[in-house]
Amino acid sequence: MKNSKLLCIGVLILFPILAFSQEISKMDRAKNIVAAVNQKDAKLYIENFTKDVKIYMYGEDGTFDLKVDGIEALYKNRAAHLKKHPDVRNEIQHLAEIDNRIVMHDKIWLTPKHKEPSNIVEIFTFDKSGKISRVDVLQQSNLFSQEQ
């Protein structure tokens, strides 16, 4: 009886520690997004986001405009993007964690023809579950008009 009580106490102590060790860090979520792009895997990409995720793009008028609203819209957006750009390649340049946000500077090559990459900055905001609930994106305005 005494041994079973000790075993139960041990399990109760270890379970939260093991559960916490299984959580994906904010930095890992940012890295997973880049890996998903490079693997051309829209499903892997969206695993890092909340169901009600919102993606905002910085506009030429100086405001952020809502471009994607919800996980299904994000999946469709990423699947279409990866289909249109089958040779896209992405590399992280810098990651900075500030409170519940990650700021990522990455470089993207849409096609192998592009010798010079384009710079993109994303600010990922995380909810309490550790998933991304909002993304603010800054990219050059003519990024997709460069395609040949």
Side-chain angles (χ1 to χ4, degrees):
M1 182 76 155
K2 189 175 184 178
N3 286 340
S4 62
K5 285 183 182 179
L6 286 174
L7 179 62
C8 286
I9 291 171
V11 168
L12 290 173
I13 291 170
L14 288 176
F15 184 74
I17 294 169
L18 291 173
F20 181 75
S21 70
Q22 298 299 314
E23 288 183 23
I24 299 173
S25 73
K26 294 177 193 83
M27 290 286 195
D28 285 340
R29 290 221 184 262
K31 291 174 186 174
N32 288 347
I33 290 167
V34 171
V37 169
N38 290 332
Q39 294 171 31
K40 317 307 181 265
D41 189 338
K43 186 176 179 183
L44 178 62
Y45 186 95
I46 67 164
E47 288 178 4
N48 298 286
F49 296 87
T50 62
K51 290 182 181 187
D52 60 347
V53 62
K54 297 194 181 326
I55 312 292
Y56 294 85
M57 299 289 290
Y58 187 75
E60 291 186 29
D61 63 354
T63 63
F64 282 93
D65 301 317
L66 180 63
K67 294 297 182 181
V68 177
D69 191 359
I71 197 79
E72 286 125 21
L74 180 59
Y75 177 78
K76 288 178 185 175
N77 176 282
R78 294 296 82 197
H81 177 78
L82 294 170
K83 184 176 181 180
K84 185 174 182 179
H85 305 285
D87 297 318
V88 65
R89 186 169 58 93
N90 198 333
E91 288 181 8
I92 294 173
Q93 302 301 299
H94 304 282
L95 285 172
E97 185 170 345
I98 303 168
D99 297 329
N100 69 329
R101 291 181 177 83
I102 293 284
V103 178
M104 180 169 74
H105 165 217
D106 54 321
K107 291 188 181 267
I108 185 170
W109 293 261
L110 290 175
T111 70
K113 294 177 188 176
H114 291 111
K115 301 300 179 205
E116 292 297 317
S118 296
N119 289 293
I120 299 178
V121 173
E122 294 104 343
I123 302 169
F124 302 108
T125 302
F126 292 80
D127 73 354
K128 292 185 189 303
S129 76
K131 288 196 169 189
I132 300 166
S133 60
R134 178 181 172 129
V135 183
D136 295 290
V137 181
L138 290 88
Q139 67 187 32
Q140 63 194 68
S141 57
N142 66 343
L143 176 63
F144 295 102
S145 63
Q146 299 175 33
E147 300 176 68
Q148 297 176 14

PDB file of all heavy atoms in Angstrom, residues 79-107:
ATOM      1  N   ALA A  79      -1.070  26.367 -49.549  1.00  0.00           N
ATOM      2  CA  ALA A  79      -1.081  25.308 -50.569  1.00  0.00           C
ATOM      3  C   ALA A  79      -0.994  25.909 -51.965  1.00  0.00           C
ATOM      4  O   ALA A  79      -0.229  25.428 -52.810  1.00  0.00           O
ATOM      5  CB  ALA A  79      -2.325  24.438 -50.411  1.00  0.00           C
ATOM      6  N   ALA A  80      -1.746  26.972 -52.217  1.00  0.00           N
ATOM      7  CA  ALA A  80      -1.711  27.640 -53.529  1.00  0.00           C
ATOM      8  C   ALA A  80      -0.339  28.264 -53.771  1.00  0.00           C
ATOM      9  O   ALA A  80       0.208  28.174 -54.879  1.00  0.00           O
ATOM     10  CB  ALA A  80      -2.804  28.699 -53.613  1.00  0.00           C
ATOM     11  N   HIS A  81       0.225  28.896 -52.739  1.00  0.00           N
ATOM     12  CA  HIS A  81       1.543  29.525 -52.869  1.00  0.00           C
ATOM     13  C   HIS A  81       2.614  28.478 -53.195  1.00  0.00           C
ATOM     14  O   HIS A  81       3.442  28.691 -54.090  1.00  0.00           O
ATOM     15  CB  HIS A  81       1.894  30.244 -51.566  1.00  0.00           C
ATOM     16  CG  HIS A  81       3.246  30.863 -51.561  1.00  0.00           C
ATOM     17  ND1 HIS A  81       3.511  32.065 -52.193  1.00  0.00           N
ATOM     18  CD2 HIS A  81       4.420  30.466 -51.007  1.00  0.00           C
ATOM     19  CE1 HIS A  81       4.792  32.370 -52.033  1.00  0.00           C
ATOM     20  NE2 HIS A  81       5.358  31.416 -51.315  1.00  0.00           N
ATOM     21  N   LEU A  82       2.595  27.365 -52.488  1.00  0.00           N
ATOM     22  CA  LEU A  82       3.605  26.327 -52.716  1.00  0.00           C
ATOM     23  C   LEU A  82       3.424  25.657 -54.067  1.00  0.00           C
ATOM     24  O   LEU A  82       4.409  25.253 -54.692  1.00  0.00           O
ATOM     25  CB  LEU A  82       3.569  25.295 -51.583  1.00  0.00           C
ATOM     26  CG  LEU A  82       3.987  25.841 -50.217  1.00  0.00           C
ATOM     27  CD1 LEU A  82       3.698  24.822 -49.117  1.00  0.00           C
ATOM     28  CD2 LEU A  82       5.441  26.263 -50.207  1.00  0.00           C
ATOM     29  N   LYS A  83       2.191  25.566 -54.542  1.00  0.00           N
ATOM     30  CA  LYS A  83       1.942  25.003 -55.875  1.00  0.00           C
ATOM     31  C   LYS A  83       2.448  25.962 -56.953  1.00  0.00           C
ATOM     32  O   LYS A  83       3.065  25.543 -57.929  1.00  0.00           O
ATOM     33  CB  LYS A  83       0.454  24.731 -56.065  1.00  0.00           C
ATOM     34  CG  LYS A  83       0.127  24.064 -57.371  1.00  0.00           C
ATOM     35  CD  LYS A  83      -1.343  23.735 -57.479  1.00  0.00           C
ATOM     36  CE  LYS A  83      -1.620  23.053 -58.805  1.00  0.00           C
ATOM     37  NZ  LYS A  83      -3.028  22.727 -58.950  1.00  0.00           N
ATOM     38  N   LYS A  84       2.196  27.251 -56.752  1.00  0.00           N
ATOM     39  CA  LYS A  84       2.622  28.257 -57.732  1.00  0.00           C
ATOM     40  C   LYS A  84       4.144  28.432 -57.741  1.00  0.00           C
ATOM     41  O   LYS A  84       4.726  28.778 -58.761  1.00  0.00           O
ATOM     42  CB  LYS A  84       1.952  29.595 -57.424  1.00  0.00           C
ATOM     43  CG  LYS A  84       2.236  30.662 -58.448  1.00  0.00           C
ATOM     44  CD  LYS A  84       1.445  31.916 -58.198  1.00  0.00           C
ATOM     45  CE  LYS A  84       1.748  32.937 -59.286  1.00  0.00           C
ATOM     46  NZ  LYS A  84       0.987  34.153 -59.099  1.00  0.00           N
ATOM     47  N   HIS A  85       4.776  28.213 -56.587  1.00  0.00           N
ATOM     48  CA  HIS A  85       6.226  28.401 -56.447  1.00  0.00           C
ATOM     49  C   HIS A  85       6.872  27.106 -55.953  1.00  0.00           C
ATOM     50  O   HIS A  85       7.340  27.022 -54.816  1.00  0.00           O
ATOM     51  CB  HIS A  85       6.523  29.541 -55.462  1.00  0.00           C
ATOM     52  CG  HIS A  85       5.854  30.813 -55.808  1.00  0.00           C
ATOM     53  ND1 HIS A  85       6.282  31.621 -56.841  1.00  0.00           N
ATOM     54  CD2 HIS A  85       4.770  31.424 -55.292  1.00  0.00           C
ATOM     55  CE1 HIS A  85       5.492  32.668 -56.932  1.00  0.00           C
ATOM     56  NE2 HIS A  85       4.566  32.576 -56.007  1.00  0.00           N
ATOM     57  N   PRO A  86       6.935  26.088 -56.803  1.00  0.00           N
ATOM     58  CA  PRO A  86       7.443  24.784 -56.367  1.00  0.00           C
ATOM     59  C   PRO A  86       8.930  24.781 -56.007  1.00  0.00           C
ATOM     60  O   PRO A  86       9.405  23.859 -55.344  1.00  0.00           O
ATOM     61  CB  PRO A  86       7.157  23.868 -57.559  1.00  0.00           C
ATOM     62  CG  PRO A  86       7.103  24.797 -58.736  1.00  0.00           C
ATOM     63  CD  PRO A  86       6.537  26.083 -58.214  1.00  0.00           C
ATOM     64  N   ASP A  87       9.647  25.810 -56.413  1.00  0.00           N
ATOM     65  CA  ASP A  87      11.086  25.872 -56.118  1.00  0.00           C
ATOM     66  C   ASP A  87      11.420  26.904 -55.048  1.00  0.00           C
ATOM     67  O   ASP A  87      12.596  27.241 -54.864  1.00  0.00           O
ATOM     68  CB  ASP A  87      11.871  26.198 -57.397  1.00  0.00           C
ATOM     69  CG  ASP A  87      11.725  25.113 -58.444  1.00  0.00           C
ATOM     70  OD1 ASP A  87      11.780  23.926 -58.069  1.00  0.00           O
ATOM     71  OD2 ASP A  87      11.551  25.451 -59.626  1.00  0.00           O
ATOM     72  N   VAL A  88      10.402  27.401 -54.348  1.00  0.00           N
ATOM     73  CA  VAL A  88      10.644  28.408 -53.325  1.00  0.00           C
ATOM     74  C   VAL A  88      11.610  27.864 -52.265  1.00  0.00           C
ATOM     75  O   VAL A  88      11.602  26.679 -51.941  1.00  0.00           O
ATOM     76  CB  VAL A  88       9.316  28.872 -52.661  1.00  0.00           C
ATOM     77  CG1 VAL A  88       8.648  27.761 -51.884  1.00  0.00           C
ATOM     78  CG2 VAL A  88       9.542  30.094 -51.795  1.00  0.00           C
ATOM     79  N   ARG A  89      12.465  28.747 -51.805  1.00  0.00           N
ATOM     80  CA  ARG A  89      13.437  28.387 -50.757  1.00  0.00           C
ATOM     81  C   ARG A  89      13.489  29.523 -49.761  1.00  0.00           C
ATOM     82  O   ARG A  89      13.441  30.694 -50.134  1.00  0.00           O
ATOM     83  CB  ARG A  89      14.814  28.141 -51.363  1.00  0.00           C
ATOM     84  CG  ARG A  89      15.825  27.621 -50.362  1.00  0.00           C
ATOM     85  CD  ARG A  89      17.085  27.128 -51.060  1.00  0.00           C
ATOM     86  NE  ARG A  89      17.737  28.134 -51.861  1.00  0.00           N
ATOM     87  CZ  ARG A  89      18.710  28.925 -51.422  1.00  0.00           C
ATOM     88  NH1 ARG A  89      19.132  28.857 -50.179  1.00  0.00           N
ATOM     89  NH2 ARG A  89      19.273  29.806 -52.233  1.00  0.00           N
ATOM     90  N   ASN A  90      13.599  29.182 -48.502  1.00  0.00           N
ATOM     91  CA  ASN A  90      13.522  30.153 -47.432  1.00  0.00           C
ATOM     92  C   ASN A  90      14.637  29.880 -46.429  1.00  0.00           C
ATOM     93  O   ASN A  90      14.898  28.726 -46.109  1.00  0.00           O
ATOM     94  CB  ASN A  90      12.150  29.969 -46.765  1.00  0.00           C
ATOM     95  CG  ASN A  90      11.711  31.125 -45.946  1.00  0.00           C
ATOM     96  OD1 ASN A  90      12.515  31.877 -45.436  1.00  0.00           O
ATOM     97  ND2 ASN A  90      10.418  31.260 -45.792  1.00  0.00           N
ATOM     98  N   GLU A  91      15.297  30.936 -45.941  1.00  0.00           N
ATOM     99  CA  GLU A  91      16.354  30.793 -44.931  1.00  0.00           C
ATOM    100  C   GLU A  91      16.171  31.829 -43.840  1.00  0.00           C
ATOM    101  O   GLU A  91      16.002  33.021 -44.131  1.00  0.00           O
ATOM    102  CB  GLU A  91      17.743  31.000 -45.543  1.00  0.00           C
ATOM    103  CG  GLU A  91      18.212  29.897 -46.436  1.00  0.00           C
ATOM    104  CD  GLU A  91      19.611  30.163 -46.989  1.00  0.00           C
ATOM    105  OE1 GLU A  91      20.274  31.130 -46.550  1.00  0.00           O
ATOM    106  OE2 GLU A  91      20.016  29.409 -47.885  1.00  0.00           O
ATOM    107  N   ILE A  92      16.229  31.377 -42.602  1.00  0.00           N
ATOM    108  CA  ILE A  92      16.150  32.291 -41.463  1.00  0.00           C
ATOM    109  C   ILE A  92      17.472  33.031 -41.335  1.00  0.00           C
ATOM    110  O   ILE A  92      18.541  32.429 -41.372  1.00  0.00           O
ATOM    111  CB  ILE A  92      15.859  31.522 -40.161  1.00  0.00           C
ATOM    112  CG1 ILE A  92      14.472  30.888 -40.216  1.00  0.00           C
ATOM    113  CG2 ILE A  92      15.982  32.448 -38.940  1.00  0.00           C
ATOM    114  CD1 ILE A  92      14.161  29.976 -39.051  1.00  0.00           C
ATOM    115  N   GLN A  93      17.384  34.348 -41.155  1.00  0.00           N
ATOM    116  CA  GLN A  93      18.569  35.165 -40.911  1.00  0.00           C
ATOM    117  C   GLN A  93      18.705  35.517 -39.434  1.00  0.00           C
ATOM    118  O   GLN A  93      19.790  35.452 -38.872  1.00  0.00           O
ATOM    119  CB  GLN A  93      18.491  36.462 -41.747  1.00  0.00           C
ATOM    120  CG  GLN A  93      18.364  36.210 -43.233  1.00  0.00           C
ATOM    121  CD  GLN A  93      19.524  35.418 -43.789  1.00  0.00           C
ATOM    122  OE1 GLN A  93      20.670  35.856 -43.717  1.00  0.00           O
ATOM    123  NE2 GLN A  93      19.253  34.241 -44.332  1.00  0.00           N
ATOM    124  N   HIS A  94      17.586  35.901 -38.814  1.00  0.00           N
ATOM    125  CA  HIS A  94      17.587  36.303 -37.403  1.00  0.00           C
ATOM    126  C   HIS A  94      16.267  35.913 -36.755  1.00  0.00           C
ATOM    127  O   HIS A  94      15.217  35.998 -37.397  1.00  0.00           O
ATOM    128  CB  HIS A  94      17.758  37.819 -37.252  1.00  0.00           C
ATOM    129  CG  HIS A  94      18.968  38.359 -37.919  1.00  0.00           C
ATOM    130  ND1 HIS A  94      20.226  38.242 -37.392  1.00  0.00           N
ATOM    131  CD2 HIS A  94      19.116  39.020 -39.097  1.00  0.00           C
ATOM    132  CE1 HIS A  94      21.099  38.805 -38.214  1.00  0.00           C
ATOM    133  NE2 HIS A  94      20.449  39.279 -39.258  1.00  0.00           N
ATOM    134  N   LEU A  95      16.352  35.529 -35.491  1.00  0.00           N
ATOM    135  CA  LEU A  95      15.171  35.294 -34.672  1.00  0.00           C
ATOM    136  C   LEU A  95      15.366  36.023 -33.348  1.00  0.00           C
ATOM    137  O   LEU A  95      16.449  35.945 -32.758  1.00  0.00           O
ATOM    138  CB  LEU A  95      14.980  33.807 -34.369  1.00  0.00           C
ATOM    139  CG  LEU A  95      14.467  32.905 -35.480  1.00  0.00           C
ATOM    140  CD1 LEU A  95      14.533  31.445 -35.053  1.00  0.00           C
ATOM    141  CD2 LEU A  95      13.052  33.278 -35.863  1.00  0.00           C
ATOM    142  N   ALA A  96      14.330  36.711 -32.895  1.00  0.00           N
ATOM    143  CA  ALA A  96      14.387  37.379 -31.597  1.00  0.00           C
ATOM    144  C   ALA A  96      13.071  37.126 -30.871  1.00  0.00           C
ATOM    145  O   ALA A  96      12.000  37.318 -31.450  1.00  0.00           O
ATOM    146  CB  ALA A  96      14.611  38.872 -31.767  1.00  0.00           C
ATOM    147  N   GLU A  97      13.157  36.673 -29.645  1.00  0.00           N
ATOM    148  CA  GLU A  97      11.963  36.437 -28.831  1.00  0.00           C
ATOM    149  C   GLU A  97      11.785  37.604 -27.865  1.00  0.00           C
ATOM    150  O   GLU A  97      12.702  37.949 -27.118  1.00  0.00           O
ATOM    151  CB  GLU A  97      12.091  35.127 -28.056  1.00  0.00           C
ATOM    152  CG  GLU A  97      10.841  34.760 -27.298  1.00  0.00           C
ATOM    153  CD  GLU A  97      10.882  33.363 -26.721  1.00  0.00           C
ATOM    154  OE1 GLU A  97      11.743  32.548 -27.121  1.00  0.00           O
ATOM    155  OE2 GLU A  97      10.037  33.084 -25.851  1.00  0.00           O
ATOM    156  N   ILE A  98      10.612  38.205 -27.909  1.00  0.00           N
ATOM    157  CA  ILE A  98      10.271  39.322 -27.025  1.00  0.00           C
ATOM    158  C   ILE A  98       8.885  39.039 -26.460  1.00  0.00           C
ATOM    159  O   ILE A  98       7.892  39.081 -27.197  1.00  0.00           O
ATOM    160  CB  ILE A  98      10.282  40.668 -27.787  1.00  0.00           C
ATOM    161  CG1 ILE A  98      11.644  40.911 -28.441  1.00  0.00           C
ATOM    162  CG2 ILE A  98       9.903  41.810 -26.851  1.00  0.00           C
ATOM    163  CD1 ILE A  98      11.662  42.054 -29.429  1.00  0.00           C
ATOM    164  N   ASP A  99       8.827  38.728 -25.178  1.00  0.00           N
ATOM    165  CA  ASP A  99       7.567  38.388 -24.507  1.00  0.00           C
ATOM    166  C   ASP A  99       6.857  37.263 -25.262  1.00  0.00           C
ATOM    167  O   ASP A  99       7.431  36.203 -25.443  1.00  0.00           O
ATOM    168  CB  ASP A  99       6.683  39.626 -24.336  1.00  0.00           C
ATOM    169  CG  ASP A  99       7.324  40.688 -23.445  1.00  0.00           C
ATOM    170  OD1 ASP A  99       8.080  40.305 -22.529  1.00  0.00           O
ATOM    171  OD2 ASP A  99       7.088  41.879 -23.671  1.00  0.00           O
ATOM    172  N   ASN A 100       5.619  37.507 -25.717  1.00  0.00           N
ATOM    173  CA  ASN A 100       4.876  36.451 -26.415  1.00  0.00           C
ATOM    174  C   ASN A 100       4.998  36.577 -27.944  1.00  0.00           C
ATOM    175  O   ASN A 100       4.132  36.132 -28.672  1.00  0.00           O
ATOM    176  CB  ASN A 100       3.397  36.481 -26.007  1.00  0.00           C
ATOM    177  CG  ASN A 100       2.674  37.707 -26.526  1.00  0.00           C
ATOM    178  OD1 ASN A 100       3.258  38.775 -26.682  1.00  0.00           O
ATOM    179  ND2 ASN A 100       1.385  37.564 -26.790  1.00  0.00           N
ATOM    180  N   ARG A 101       6.108  37.165 -28.397  1.00  0.00           N
ATOM    181  CA  ARG A 101       6.313  37.352 -29.836  1.00  0.00           C
ATOM    182  C   ARG A 101       7.686  36.846 -30.271  1.00  0.00           C
ATOM    183  O   ARG A 101       8.635  36.863 -29.502  1.00  0.00           O
ATOM    184  CB  ARG A 101       6.185  38.828 -30.204  1.00  0.00           C
ATOM    185  CG  ARG A 101       4.774  39.348 -30.066  1.00  0.00           C
ATOM    186  CD  ARG A 101       4.668  40.807 -30.461  1.00  0.00           C
ATOM    187  NE  ARG A 101       3.298  41.238 -30.373  1.00  0.00           N
ATOM    188  CZ  ARG A 101       2.693  41.628 -29.247  1.00  0.00           C
ATOM    189  NH1 ARG A 101       3.372  41.635 -28.108  1.00  0.00           N
ATOM    190  NH2 ARG A 101       1.430  42.006 -29.250  1.00  0.00           N
ATOM    191  N   ILE A 102       7.735  36.455 -31.518  1.00  0.00           N
ATOM    192  CA  ILE A 102       8.996  36.140 -32.189  1.00  0.00           C
ATOM    193  C   ILE A 102       9.079  37.062 -33.397  1.00  0.00           C
ATOM    194  O   ILE A 102       8.122  37.175 -34.173  1.00  0.00           O
ATOM    195  CB  ILE A 102       9.047  34.671 -32.676  1.00  0.00           C
ATOM    196  CG1 ILE A 102       9.065  33.695 -31.514  1.00  0.00           C
ATOM    197  CG2 ILE A 102      10.238  34.444 -33.610  1.00  0.00           C
ATOM    198  CD1 ILE A 102      10.381  33.569 -30.803  1.00  0.00           C
ATOM    199  N   VAL A 103      10.204  37.728 -33.547  1.00  0.00           N
ATOM    200  CA  VAL A 103      10.464  38.530 -34.738  1.00  0.00           C
ATOM    201  C   VAL A 103      11.447  37.725 -35.583  1.00  0.00           C
ATOM    202  O   VAL A 103      12.503  37.319 -35.092  1.00  0.00           O
ATOM    203  CB  VAL A 103      11.062  39.910 -34.380  1.00  0.00           C
ATOM    204  CG1 VAL A 103      11.360  40.704 -35.644  1.00  0.00           C
ATOM    205  CG2 VAL A 103      10.118  40.674 -33.453  1.00  0.00           C
ATOM    206  N   MET A 104      11.067  37.473 -36.828  1.00  0.00           N
ATOM    207  CA  MET A 104      11.915  36.670 -37.714  1.00  0.00           C
ATOM    208  C   MET A 104      12.235  37.467 -38.966  1.00  0.00           C
ATOM    209  O   MET A 104      11.348  38.016 -39.623  1.00  0.00           O
ATOM    210  CB  MET A 104      11.217  35.367 -38.103  1.00  0.00           C
ATOM    211  CG  MET A 104      12.058  34.493 -39.040  1.00  0.00           C
ATOM    212  SD  MET A 104      11.403  32.824 -39.271  1.00  0.00           S
ATOM    213  CE  MET A 104      10.000  33.145 -40.326  1.00  0.00           C
ATOM    214  N   HIS A 105      13.522  37.540 -39.280  1.00  0.00           N
ATOM    215  CA  HIS A 105      13.981  38.080 -40.564  1.00  0.00           C
ATOM    216  C   HIS A 105      14.421  36.872 -41.361  1.00  0.00           C
ATOM    217  O   HIS A 105      15.273  36.095 -40.919  1.00  0.00           O
ATOM    218  CB  HIS A 105      15.142  39.056 -40.354  1.00  0.00           C
ATOM    219  CG  HIS A 105      15.880  39.375 -41.622  1.00  0.00           C
ATOM    220  ND1 HIS A 105      17.234  39.545 -41.661  1.00  0.00           N
ATOM    221  CD2 HIS A 105      15.450  39.548 -42.902  1.00  0.00           C
ATOM    222  CE1 HIS A 105      17.614  39.816 -42.895  1.00  0.00           C
ATOM    223  NE2 HIS A 105      16.545  39.809 -43.664  1.00  0.00           N
ATOM    224  N   ASP A 106      13.807  36.686 -42.533  1.00  0.00           N
ATOM    225  CA  ASP A 106      14.215  35.576 -43.386  1.00  0.00           C
ATOM    226  C   ASP A 106      14.391  36.062 -44.812  1.00  0.00           C
ATOM    227  O   ASP A 106      13.969  37.160 -45.172  1.00  0.00           O
ATOM    228  CB  ASP A 106      13.238  34.399 -43.300  1.00  0.00           C
ATOM    229  CG  ASP A 106      11.786  34.751 -43.576  1.00  0.00           C
ATOM    230  OD1 ASP A 106      11.331  35.830 -43.150  1.00  0.00           O
ATOM    231  OD2 ASP A 106      11.086  33.941 -44.199  1.00  0.00           O
ATOM    232  N   LYS A 107      15.068  35.255 -45.570  1.00  0.00           N
ATOM    233  CA  LYS A 107      15.289  35.536 -46.990  1.00  0.00           C
ATOM    234  C   LYS A 107      14.575  34.458 -47.780  1.00  0.00           C
ATOM    235  O   LYS A 107      14.541  33.300 -47.385  1.00  0.00           O
ATOM    236  CB  LYS A 107      16.780  35.547 -47.319  1.00  0.00           C
ATOM    237  CG  LYS A 107      17.500  36.732 -46.687  1.00  0.00           C
ATOM    238  CD  LYS A 107      18.919  36.844 -47.183  1.00  0.00           C
ATOM    239  CE  LYS A 107      19.607  38.007 -46.508  1.00  0.00           C
ATOM    240  NZ  LYS A 107      19.515  39.237 -47.253  1.00  0.00           N
TER     241      LYS A 107
END
